[in-house]
Amino acid sequence: MAACLEAARSITIPASRAELYELSLGGAGADTFDIGFDVPGRGFVKEGDVVRCRNGISVNYVEDYIRRRDPDCMRIGDDLPSDKPRFAADYGPFAPVKAATLAWLAEQDLIVVPFKAGGPRLGSPSLAVIPKNCGFFGTALVDLQGFFTFDELGPFAPRSILYLAPPFRHTHFDGKQVVVHDRTETLHEIWAYNLYPGPSAKKGVFSALLDIGTQEGWITAHASAVRVTTPYENETVVMHEGASGGGKSEMCQDLRREEDGRVLLGTNVVTDEPYAITLSEASRLEPVTDDMTLCHPSLQRPTSGKMTIADAEDGWFVRVDNLTSYGEDPHLERAIIHPDEPLVFFNIEGKVGATALPWEHVTDDAGKPCSNPRVIIPRNQIKGIVDEPEEVDVRTFGVRMPACTAAAPTYGVMGLMHVIPPALAWLWRLVTPRGDKNPSIGATAAEAAVIAHGGMVAEGVGSFWPFSTNTKVGAANLLLRQILAAPRTRFVLTPNQHIGAYKVGFAAEWVTREWLARRGQGPLRRERLTPARCPLFGYALKEMKLDGQQIRPSLLQPELQSKVGVAAYDAGARIITEFFKAELQQFLTDDLDPLGRAIIEVCLKDGTLDDYLALTPLEPEPYPVTGAVPMVVPAR
C-alpha cells in the first residue's frame, strides 16, 4: 500500500466531514457530479450521479443491479479457514488482481480516510483508500463509522483497510459486484470492486469486526435494539434479529396509526376485513443500535445474567421503502427532512436545491419504485438515542411470512408472538429463514425461484453469516456460548408481513414490543402459555391484553383462523420443519459443541417442545453466567 500511495497523482486527507462532503460533488461548490471511469475498450462509463439537495446529497446509480447488495459478491482471497467461496475458484489467483488494483489506484487522485471499524467506543483504527471522484463513498463511510483525523487517532497500525476500485467490475468481473476479503492474523483487507457501499463500507466493515471477534471469542450481532419506556416509566431493552428485511430497522420506529388514531393490526387477504385496535398512549422509544450490535467482552457484566450491548456504528444506513407518503413516521421524517447536517441518500429522487423526500424512491427499469431506498443518519442527529451500553431484557427474532390460507397453504403460520427456550433461539439463528419479497438485497436466480413459489432460503448463522469470512460451525459455537452466558435474557419470535390470512406488515412486531414492555420482566406464568402446534415455535400465548383490549386469539394461534384451519397450519409447519432439517445437517461436524449437536438432533428426530426444554429450560436459572457452555447432553 505504501508504494501505491507514494506513486498516486495526489492524495487528499480531509480535515473535516464538511470538506469530504464537498468532494462528493467534485469540489468547488458544484451542485451535480457524474461518477464514472475510463474503461479500456469502452471509454467513459458513467456509474451514477450525485445531486446537491437542500438536506443532503442524493446518489443514484445507472444500473438497477448496483442499487442493492448482491448476496453473492463476497470472495475470500486468502488461505485461512473459511466456508465462503474462494476467489481463486472463480477467477484464479488473487495476487495478480491485487497488484493490478494497487497499480490502478497509483494512477489516480486519491482520498485517504481514517476511521474506526466498530464505532468510536471500541472500534479498531482502520483506513480507506478511495478514488477522488468517489468522494460520496468516503462521506458515506465516515457517516457510518465516524469521522476521525490522523491527529485524533495518533500512531496506529491499521486493523483493516478498504480499497475501492469500481472499474474492475467491468474489466475483470463481467459487470458483477465483487468484494474480496484478504486476511492475515493482524490485518483484514477489503477490496471493493463495486460502488454501492452496502457490501463494503457497511457490511465489509462488519466482516472485519466478525473476523476480529472470531479470533477473540465474541460476536458483533446483526441486530437493532431499542429502550422502551412505558407510560408508567417501566423500561425494557429489546434487541431484534433476523434476516435482511426481517424488521431490524422497524424495531426502532414508532408504530403506525390510521388517520383516526387506531393501530391497524392486519387486513384479511381473503375477505379484505381490517382489524384495528385502539392504543391511547404508546411507549417512548430510545434507539440503542440499528444494525451492527457490539457484544464485546469488555461490556459484559457476568453477575447480571443479561447480555450487554453497544452500537458498533456511528451512523445508521436506514432503509425507507416502507415510507410511501408524508406522516407515516414523523420522527424519522423530521430527522431526514430537517437534519442538523446534510445527509447522504441512495436510490432517492434528488433535484438541485429541492428537499430530498424519503418517500420519493427512484424507479427501477421495471417501472416500480426501487425496493432499497436508503439514507445514512449519523447517531448524533437521532433524537433520544442511547449512547451508553445497555443490558438486553428480550431478544426478539423476526421472520418475513407469506399469507397462508386453507386454499393456498404456505409456511406463514407463525403467531403474533411466541416465547421460546434458548435451544430454539439458537436453532432459529442458525437457519435465519429469508423469504417473502425481501427488499434489502437481490436474490440469486435459484433463491428467487424458491421464494417466488412460497419457499424459504437460509441467510445463515445469526443473520450475520452473509458477512462472515469464517466457518459456519465456528460461528454456531460462538453463538451458542453467547446465548447461554446470558440466562436472564428472554427469547421471542415474531412474524412480519403476514400472520396466516392477515396481512400485518410490521404491526405484529410493534405490538409485541409494546406488550413486552408493559408486561415487564417478571417470571412467565406457564398457565398463560400453550405449546404451539409446531414445536419450532415454542409457546404461543393463550391471550394478550394491551391497553385493556384482548388481541384476537386467532392472531396468537393462526390455526384458529377460519380462513386457515388446522390442515393448512400443519402443512405450513411441515414446510418449516423440513426446511430446518435440511439446513441443520451441515452443522453436524466433529467441531460442533456437544450441546449444539444434541439440540439439532432433537429437531432432526421431530422432537417435542419438552425435548428442547430438557436441554435448555425456558428460564434457566441454574445455568452459570461465566460464558461456559453447560454440559447437559443426554445419555445416548
Side-chain angles (χ1 to χ4, degrees):
M1 181 187 71
C4 166
L5 296 180
E6 289 174 0
R9 286 197 304 228
S10 69
I11 294 177
T12 300
I13 301 174
S16 66
R17 193 262 188 186
E19 179 185 352
L20 190 52
Y21 182 84
E22 290 302 321
L23 289 171
S24 302
L25 288 148
D31 289 328
T32 62
F33 183 73
D34 283 347
I35 312 160
F37 300 89
D38 289 320
V39 176
R42 295 183 57 180
F44 182 80
V45 175
K46 180 179 176 179
E47 296 278 5
D49 54 57
V50 185
V51 174
R52 187 193 300 270
C53 302
R54 292 184 64 183
N55 54 332
I57 54 172
S58 174
V59 182
N60 283 300
Y61 301 99
V62 173
E63 297 177 49
D64 288 0
Y65 169 65
I66 303 299
R67 295 174 180 173
R68 49 187 60 80
R69 175 173 58 86
D70 186 330
D72 189 36
C73 66
M74 176 184 282
R75 293 295 183 272
I76 304 301
D78 57 66
D79 296 322
L80 295 178
S82 177
D83 289 336
K84 290 298 177 65
R86 302 281 181 176
F87 184 91
D90 294 323
Y91 304 107
F94 180 55
V97 179
K98 181 176 179 176
T101 306
L102 290 171
W104 180 82
L105 287 168
E107 298 172 351
Q108 312 302 311
D109 296 304
L110 300 177
I111 300 173
V112 176
V113 181
F115 66 96
K116 280 191 174 183
R121 182 188 298 271
L122 295 168
S124 301
S126 302
L127 285 177
V129 180
I130 301 167
K132 191 173 183 179
N133 64 345
C134 297
F136 81 92
F137 191 97
T139 306
L141 174 67
V142 301
D143 281 357
L144 288 167
Q145 307 300 334
F147 183 86
F148 293 89
T149 65
F150 282 102
D151 288 341
E152 289 171 333
L153 290 176
F156 69 93
R159 185 59 182 82
S160 63
I161 303 176
L162 190 160
Y163 301 90
L164 183 69
F168 277 60
R169 179 170 75 91
H170 303 290
T171 58
H172 289 69
F173 306 118
D174 196 28
K176 295 290 186 181
Q177 299 181 53
V178 174
V179 178
V180 183
H181 295 260
D182 195 27
R183 306 163 296 165
T184 69
E185 292 184 357
T186 58
L187 179 64
H188 188 122
E189 292 183 325
I190 305 160
W191 300 82
Y193 302 111
N194 74 309
L195 205 52
Y196 177 60
S200 48
K202 170 72 172 173
K203 301 305 187 186
V205 174
F206 198 172
S207 300
L209 282 177
L210 291 168
D211 185 33
I212 295 169
T214 296
Q215 294 184 34
E216 299 178 359
W218 55 277
I219 291 173
T220 299
H222 191 204
S224 65
V226 62
R227 187 168 69 195
V228 189
T229 304
T230 71
Y232 306 103
E233 298 301 319
N234 294 323
E235 290 184 355
T236 299
V237 175
V238 180
M239 173 173 153
H240 188 74
E241 298 159 270
S244 297
K248 290 182 291 296
S249 295
E250 288 76 11
M251 178 54 74
C252 295
Q253 296 176 8
D254 287 318
L255 54 81
R256 303 287 168 80
R257 293 182 183 269
E258 300 295 283
E259 290 185 3
D260 62 4
R262 294 185 302 164
V263 176
L264 179 63
L265 194 47
T267 302
N268 193 294
V269 299
V270 178
T271 66
D272 208 32
E273 171 209 4
Y275 172 43
I277 61 173
T278 300
L279 194 61
S280 59
E281 185 180 359
S283 296
R284 183 173 74 250
L285 304 179
E286 297 168 289
V288 181
T289 73
D290 172 68
D291 183 68
M292 291 161 54
T293 299
L294 205 64
C295 311
H296 197 276
S298 68
L299 299 174
Q300 306 312 310
R301 306 178 182 108
T303 56
S304 78
K306 296 182 180 180
M307 185 170 69
T308 304
I309 59 171
D311 205 337
E313 302 177 280
D314 202 42
W316 295 356
F317 201 33
V318 180
R319 191 182 70 250
V320 291
D321 65 303
N322 62 346
L323 292 184
T324 57
S325 62
Y326 172 76
E328 292 184 321
D329 192 328
H331 294 295
L332 181 58
E333 291 166 22
R334 188 179 300 114
I336 292 172
I337 295 171
H338 303 293
D340 297 332
E341 288 186 280
L343 305 176
V344 182
F345 297 86
F346 294 90
N347 306 325
I348 298 285
E349 291 285 359
K351 304 294 182 184
V352 174
T355 300
L357 299 174
W359 50 82
E360 293 187 351
H361 312 151
V362 296
T363 303
D364 283 344
D365 288 343
K368 296 181 178 180
C370 178
S371 64
N372 192 40
R374 298 274 184 168
V375 57
I376 300 175
I377 308 179
R379 279 179 59 89
N380 62 13
Q381 296 198 40
I382 300 171
K383 305 302 181 186
I385 201 162
V386 178
D387 285 322
E388 295 303 313
E390 286 286 335
E391 290 186 344
V392 177
D393 298 304
V394 184
R395 290 176 71 169
T396 55
F397 190 89
V399 187
R400 295 181 75 90
M401 289 283 172
C404 174
T405 65
T410 71
Y411 60 89
V413 293
M414 183 183 290
L416 188 146
M417 181 190 125
H418 291 275
V419 179
I420 56 175
L424 284 173
W426 182 66
L427 285 190
W428 277 94
R429 284 161 178 78
L430 285 196
V431 176
T432 311
R434 172 163 59 85
D436 194 52
K437 306 178 184 65
N438 168 59
S440 298
I441 59 175
T444 65
E447 289 176 340
V450 169
I451 294 169
H453 291 87
M456 290 181 284
V457 295
E459 194 147 303
V461 185
S463 81
F464 57 73
W465 176 246
F467 327 119
S468 174
T469 59
N470 299 291
T471 67
K472 281 189 175 181
V473 171
N477 288 338
L478 275 178
L479 186 59
L480 183 60
R481 286 175 169 83
Q482 181 198 65
I483 287 173
L484 295 178
R488 291 186 57 222
T489 295
R490 189 166 288 155
F491 293 94
V492 166
L493 296 176
T494 185
N496 63 67
Q497 307 315 309
H498 298 90
I499 298 174
Y502 282 88
K503 180 172 179 56
V504 299
F506 291 96
E509 178 179 314
W510 295 327
V511 167
T512 294
R513 178 186 66 195
E514 192 72 26
W515 185 84
L516 287 168
R518 294 184 184 222
R519 186 198 172 279
Q521 299 307 307
L524 288 165
R525 295 175 59 181
R526 297 300 175 91
E527 62 268 23
R528 297 186 180 275
L529 303 174
T530 184
R533 286 187 66 85
C534 177
L536 290 173
F537 293 161
Y539 288 104
L541 297 183
K542 290 182 179 178
E543 65 176 15
M544 175 186 280
K545 183 182 291 187
L546 192 61
D547 211 11
Q549 299 166 92
Q550 293 282 1
I551 303 297
R552 287 179 182 174
S554 59
L555 286 182
L556 305 177
Q557 302 174 55
E559 67 271 25
L560 301 179
Q561 294 177 22
S562 61
K563 302 302 181 183
V564 179
V566 170
Y569 179 100
D570 289 347
R574 282 193 296 272
I575 294 172
I576 294 173
T577 302
E578 293 306 313
F579 177 72
F580 267 61
K581 288 180 180 180
E583 291 295 328
L584 292 172
Q585 293 280 356
Q586 63 190 301
F587 294 96
L588 295 177
T589 72
D590 292 340
D591 294 327
L592 182 65
D593 184 274
L595 176 58
R597 175 178 290 273
I599 294 169
I600 290 175
E601 287 177 349
V602 169
C603 180
L604 298 180
K605 295 175 182 177
D606 293 313
T608 66
L609 175 57
D610 285 340
D611 294 327
Y612 292 111
L613 292 168
L615 293 174
T616 59
L618 192 61
E619 295 182 341
E621 292 296 338
Y623 277 3
V625 292
T626 60
V629 177
M631 301 301 293
V632 293
V633 182
R636 300 188 181 183

